[in-house]
């Protein structure tokens, strides 16, 4: 990913656009064929030389075209013929963004595979579900991971859509009127580069496209933040259900040798904040003065490479975390049982409804016993069995059935089929 956003690659894409433009104009009879051939064969650059020229010109594209022309020779006068700087910069940047999206999509594919493998492994691993941080009802760890997989699938789709949105080029000149180069040249150049011509542009490709891309990256980063935060929560000493990998020889604290901290997940959470901020900057870039200014340019030199490089790192690191995380199945079962059965209160409530008891009355009976279970640290099922109001309506067998974990999780396989084997419309 770093290579895509290097100066070397930036100038390579500029040269691709300049060369494609020269060849398209040669085919249209605007530029001599020999000149297009010379630009193709001799077009080259030296970054040090570009930097040297830019110290004088204070203009990066002029410095670039001057450096390339020095290598091309007399035909160099046809480089950049009829174009404005943004024709080259924006079209070339589309190539970089598209290439970077491909890396992110490959990363997401790897992460999805890792999550799917662990989800299938723990499809039937029971654990307690938590709402408001408090025990709610039983679920499985595989279901939690299936939820992540479905979100990663949506992230992939968002990045794919954004990739298409930014895969556009423009060679329509200073204010987008094609005053010096006809639209056919833009169409030919974009075809050669695998881009779509922007239907209309000012001097620049409109930045709502780039904002959409950064939003897709920020949402993907937010997904990773969500997953990483969950692992951090489950790694708390008091919970101890999941732990990110801790390598041989790794140290957790300079002061406390016992520490095994979720530093990888914490790093992911922190970097997600950075990418969100960059997405905000991309939204600020949408509004430019009239047909353009360059207030967006300095911002994009930071937010595009930084966001892609950070997200690439986050995806790769979290994939390693998912593949290597330790899952404490026994602790999950222990925590599930820690609340002495009150997590089945909803099922008991429904049993009363089936017997014709009003919801309000049933809720009072169930909650009364649940609160006693909390306050007296007694088994919830035993309290129900001993409650005369309850036993008058429900048999012992019916109460026992309400605490059947397999019954609680009977639709897990169906959910897995919907996630991993969806029927596409």
């Amino acid at each position: 990913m770093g290579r895509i956003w290097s100066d070397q690659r930036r100038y390579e894409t500029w040269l691709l656009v300049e060369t494609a433009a020269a060849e398209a104009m040669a085919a249209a009879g605007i530029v001599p064929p020999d000149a297009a051939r010379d630009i193709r064969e001799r077009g080259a650059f030296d970054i040090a030389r570009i930097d040297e020229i830019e110290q004088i010109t204070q203009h990066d594209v002029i410095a670039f075209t001057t450096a390339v022309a020095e290598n091309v020779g007399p035909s160099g006068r046809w480089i950049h013929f009829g174009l404005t700087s943004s024709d080259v910069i924006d079209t070339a940047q589309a190539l970089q963004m598209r290439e970077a999206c491909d890396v992110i999509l490959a990363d997401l594919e790897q992460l999805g595979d890792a999550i799917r493998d662990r989800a299938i492994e723990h499809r039937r691993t029971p654990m307690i579900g938590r709402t408001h941080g408090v025990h709610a009802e039983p679920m499985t760890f595989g279901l939690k991971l299936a939820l992540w997989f479905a979100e990663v699938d949506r992230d992939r789709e968002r990045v794919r859509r954004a990739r298409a949105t930014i895969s556009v080029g423009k060679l329509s000149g200073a204010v987008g009127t094609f005053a010096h180069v006809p639209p056919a040249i833009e169409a030919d150049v974009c075809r050669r580069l695998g881009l779509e011509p922007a239907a209309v542009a000012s001097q620049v490709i409109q930045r709502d496209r780039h904002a959409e891309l950064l939003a897709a990256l920020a949402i993907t980063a937010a997904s990773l933040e969500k997953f990483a935060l969950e692992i951090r929560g489950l790694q708390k000493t008091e919970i101890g259900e999941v732990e990110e990998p801790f390598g041989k020889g790794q140290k957790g604290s300079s002061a406390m040798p016992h520490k095994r901290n979720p530093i990888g997940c914490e790093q992911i959470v922190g970097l997600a904040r950075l990418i969100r901020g960059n997405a905000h900057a991309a939204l600020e870039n949408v509004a430019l003065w009239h047909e353009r200014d360059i207030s967006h340019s300095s911002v994009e030199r930071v937010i595009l490479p930084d966001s892609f490089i950070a997200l690439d790192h986050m995806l790769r690191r979290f994939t390693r975390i998912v593949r290597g995380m330790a899952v404490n199945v026994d602790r999950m079962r222990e925590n599930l049982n820690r609340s002495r059965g009150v997590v089945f209160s909803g099922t008991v409530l429904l049993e009363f409804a089936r017997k014709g008891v009003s919801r309000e009355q049933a809720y009072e009976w169930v909650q009364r016993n649940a609160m006693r279970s909390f306050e007296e640290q007694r088994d919830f099922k035993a309290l129900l069995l001993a409650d005369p109001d309850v036993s008058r309506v429900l048999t012992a067998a019916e109460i026992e059935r309400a605490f059947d974990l397999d019954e609680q999780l009977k639709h897990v396989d169906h959910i897995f089929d919907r996630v991993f084997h969806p029927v596409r419309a």
Side-chain angles (χ1 to χ4, degrees), residues 182-202:
I185 299 303
E186 178 187 77
D188 191 4
V189 170
C190 287
R191 179 188 58 78
R192 292 168 187 263
L193 299 175
L195 301 173
E196 288 293 322
V200 59
S202 59

Side-chain angles (χ1 to χ4, degrees), residues 171-351:
L171 281 86
S172 52
V175 292
T177 59
F178 295 100
H180 307 294
V181 174
I185 299 303
E186 178 187 77
D188 191 4
V189 170
C190 287
R191 179 188 58 78
R192 292 168 187 263
L193 299 175
L195 301 173
E196 288 293 322
V200 59
S202 59
Q203 190 170 103
V204 296
I205 292 173
Q206 300 306 286
R207 260 44 193 182
D208 62 289
R209 297 178 182 271
H210 303 65
E212 181 179 340
L213 170 63
L214 266 293
L217 299 185
I219 293 171
T220 301
S223 294
L224 295 177
E225 177 184 23
K226 165 184 166 180
F227 308 155
L229 191 64
E230 181 68 14
I231 292 176
R232 288 174 60 193
L234 296 178
Q235 189 167 332
K236 289 178 181 178
T237 305
E238 295 80 3
I239 297 176
E241 294 178 354
V242 178
E243 183 180 5
E244 73 169 51
F246 193 85
K248 184 177 181 181
Q250 184 175 340
K251 304 294 188 290
S253 166
S254 63
M256 297 169 284
H258 71 278
K259 296 283 280 178
R260 295 161 66 101
N261 301 324
I263 58 170
C265 289
E266 289 171 341
Q267 182 187 86
I268 286 165
V269 169
L271 288 174
R273 299 168 186 165
L274 176 68
I275 296 177
R276 267 199 298 281
N278 289 348
H280 178 80
L283 290 169
E284 296 290 335
N285 280 349
V286 173
L288 303 176
W289 282 17
H290 306 299
E291 277 54 65
R292 64 117 16 151
D293 57 56
I294 62 165
S295 59
H296 65 288
S297 176
S298 56
V299 178
E300 288 175 359
R301 290 169 192 248
V302 175
I303 65 173
L304 287 174
D306 279 11
S307 297
F308 274 109
I309 290 169
L311 185 57
D312 178 45
H313 168 75
M314 292 166 68
L315 285 164
R316 291 170 183 269
R317 180 150 200 187
F318 194 67
T319 298
R320 293 194 299 271
I321 289 172
V322 170
R323 292 198 187 282
M325 67 182 173
V327 180
N328 190 337
V329 175
D330 292 338
R331 189 61 175 267
M332 286 182 174
R333 176 73 73 163
E334 178 186 339
N335 287 339
L336 175 59
N337 295 329
R338 188 178 297 277
S339 46
R340 292 174 289 276
V342 296
V343 297
F344 294 96
S345 69
T347 308
V348 177
L349 183 68
L350 296 180
E351 289 298 321

Side-chain angles (χ1 to χ4, degrees), residues 103 159 228 266 290 334 384 412:
V103 174
V159 174
E266 289 171 341
H290 306 299
E334 178 186 339
L384 290 172
V412 168

Side-chain angles (χ1 to χ4, degrees), residues 18 33 35 72 192 199 262 331 411:
E18 294 283 8
V72 172
R192 292 168 187 263
R331 189 61 175 267
H411 294 302

Side-chain angles (χ1 to χ4, degrees), residues 14-56:
W14 287 10
L15 188 55
L16 282 173
V17 174
E18 294 283 8
T19 302
E23 290 180 334
M25 285 188 247
I30 299 172
V31 166
D34 289 350
R37 186 193 64 234
D38 288 345
I39 293 169
R40 163 69 69 181
E41 293 178 355
R42 301 178 189 170
F45 58 86
D46 177 76
I47 294 177
R49 178 58 180 152
I50 295 172
D51 291 344
E52 181 184 0
I53 298 170
E54 189 176 354
Q55 291 299 312
I56 300 169

Side-chain angles (χ1 to χ4, degrees), residues 385-407:
L385 289 168
D387 188 317
D389 290 329
V390 173
S391 59
R392 203 168 48 244
V393 178
L394 299 178
T395 67
E398 288 168 336
I399 293 173
E400 190 69 38
R401 187 171 62 245
F403 287 77
D404 186 346
L405 185 60
D406 289 335
E407 179 69 15

